[in-house]
């Protein structure tokens, strides 16, 4: 009885604000959801955020997955060191990180102008595709992706499976595609979802570096059209929930298969 009452309170805590927000967006009887796509700047901000999300997910997996496999399969003594290194982004506040990044980027067109490093710092600040945000987001997502993939590796005896496959003559490509990746399916999905949620909801870094992503666009439009801002926020939340449910359903379907 107490457990059900507690769950009811938690459910009301989350549902009531959402219902109130939805009622606010449709209180005049028309709603503003049909105006979202045509809103000035929304399409560009959404395209930029989704591109950054995909690139960040790929970047995180490219960085974390090989390091984890090497640590678990070849160099287990380095596991504590790698775990501690993966937690460093949590020890540095994002505001401090982005201030340092902004200072470094400012050196590109000034102190380092005309040098390869200066040209690189300038090139990663392209407003259409700011690669600097991908780099920063990969760093911010490392702790979460590392924990998700590490849990997937610890959940099964991956070392034994790899040794067995290699003993039967399988190449490393076959081992990776038919042993490692299926074993880490849940961890990969979890890491990808956490990274995607982080990128789509991040505001501080993009705002300070003056790049317009969806969260930055929401804050800007909120000053002139509160209903539209709330409507986009609700739509983003629903999209995230649907994505989470899809990931969970896909994982359960693969496990049953």
């Amino acid at each position: 009885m107490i457990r059900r009452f507690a769950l009811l309170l938690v459910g009301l805590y989350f549902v009531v604000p959402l219902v109130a927000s939805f009622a606010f967006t449709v209180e005049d009887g028309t709603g503003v959801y049909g105006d979202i796509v045509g809103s000035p700047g929304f399409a560009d901000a959404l395209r930029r955020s989704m591109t950054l999300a995909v690139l960040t997910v790929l970047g995180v997996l490219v960085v974390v997955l090989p390091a984890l496999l090497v640590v678990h399969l070849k160099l287990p003594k380095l596991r504590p060191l790698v775990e501690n290194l993966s937690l460093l982004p949590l020890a540095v506040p994002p505001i401090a990180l982005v201030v340092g990044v902004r200072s470094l980027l400012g050196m590109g067109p000034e102190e380092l102008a005309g040098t390869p490093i200066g040209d690189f710092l300038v090139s990663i600040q392209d407003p259409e595709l700011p690669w600097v945000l991908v780099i920063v987001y990969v760093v911010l997502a490392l702790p979460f992706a590392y924990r998700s993939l590490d849990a997937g590796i610890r959940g099964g005896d991956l070392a034994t499976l790899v040794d067995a496959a290699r003993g039967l003559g399988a190449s490393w490509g076959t081992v990776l595609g038919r042993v490692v990746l299926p074993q880490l399916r849940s961890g990969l999905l979890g890491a990808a979802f956490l990274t995607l949620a982080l990128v789509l909801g991040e505001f501080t870094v993009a705002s300070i570096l003056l790049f317009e992503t969806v969260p930055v666009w929401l804050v800007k439009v909120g000053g002139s059209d509160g209903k539209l801002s709330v409507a986009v926020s609700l739509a983003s939340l629903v999209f995230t929930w649907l994505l989470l449910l899809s990931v969970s359903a896909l994982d359960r379907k693969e496990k049953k298969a």
Side-chain angles (χ1 to χ4, degrees):
M1 182 64 182
I2 296 179
R3 182 180 301 177
R4 292 181 179 178
F5 181 72
L7 291 175
L8 177 62
L9 289 179
V10 172
L12 291 175
Y13 178 80
F14 286 102
V15 172
V16 171
L18 296 178
V19 173
S21 299
F22 179 76
F24 171 70
T25 60
V26 297
E27 63 180 357
D28 57 358
T30 58
V32 295
Y33 294 94
D35 302 330
I36 292 178
V37 177
S39 300
F42 173 75
D44 290 336
L46 180 62
R47 175 187 53 79
R48 189 174 296 111
S49 290
M50 295 304 298
T51 303
L52 291 172
V54 172
L55 292 175
T56 303
V57 169
L58 294 176
V60 166
L61 295 181
V62 168
V63 171
V64 176
L65 186 57
L68 270 173
L69 293 179
V70 170
V71 168
H72 280 273
L73 299 178
K74 297 295 184 179
L75 302 171
K77 292 183 179 180
L78 293 181
R79 186 183 303 168
L81 175 61
V82 175
E83 288 180 354
N84 290 332
L85 290 176
S86 71
L87 294 175
L88 284 179
L90 297 179
V92 180
I95 186 66
L97 176 64
V98 70
V99 168
V101 170
R102 187 177 63 175
S103 300
L104 180 62
L105 293 176
M107 297 174 63
E110 297 176 2
E111 291 89 340
L112 300 175
T115 65
I117 297 178
D119 294 340
F120 171 76
L121 292 177
V122 172
S123 66
I124 63 176
Q125 300 180 61
D126 183 3
E128 292 300 317
L129 181 55
W131 283 94
V132 62
L133 288 185
V134 176
I135 297 172
V136 175
Y137 289 161
V138 167
V139 173
L140 294 177
L142 279 178
F144 312 106
Y146 181 91
R147 287 293 174 275
S148 179
L149 291 171
D150 185 60
I153 291 178
R154 292 175 182 268
D157 194 354
L158 186 63
T160 301
L161 294 176
V162 171
D163 289 341
R166 290 291 292 167
L168 293 173
S171 65
W172 277 110
T174 302
V175 171
L176 181 63
R178 304 190 65 176
V179 177
V180 175
L181 294 183
Q183 178 71 17
L184 298 180
R185 181 180 55 250
S186 297
L188 289 170
L189 291 175
F193 176 78
L194 291 173
T195 303
L196 184 66
L198 183 147
V199 174
L200 295 181
E202 199 286 320
F203 169 79
T204 303
V205 175
S207 175
I208 292 179
L209 295 181
L210 303 179
F211 296 114
E212 189 170 282
T213 57
V214 170
V216 176
W217 180 85
L218 279 174
V219 173
K220 184 177 72 173
V221 77
S224 58
D225 193 339
K227 287 187 178 180
L228 181 62
S229 176
V230 173
V232 175
S233 298
L234 286 175
S236 301
L237 186 59
V238 171
F239 170 75
T240 304
W241 281 355
L242 291 177
L243 182 61
L244 177 60
L245 292 175
S246 300
V247 170
S248 300
L250 178 63
D251 186 37
R252 288 196 297 269
K253 181 179 179 180
E254 292 293 334
K255 287 182 178 179
K256 289 181 179 179

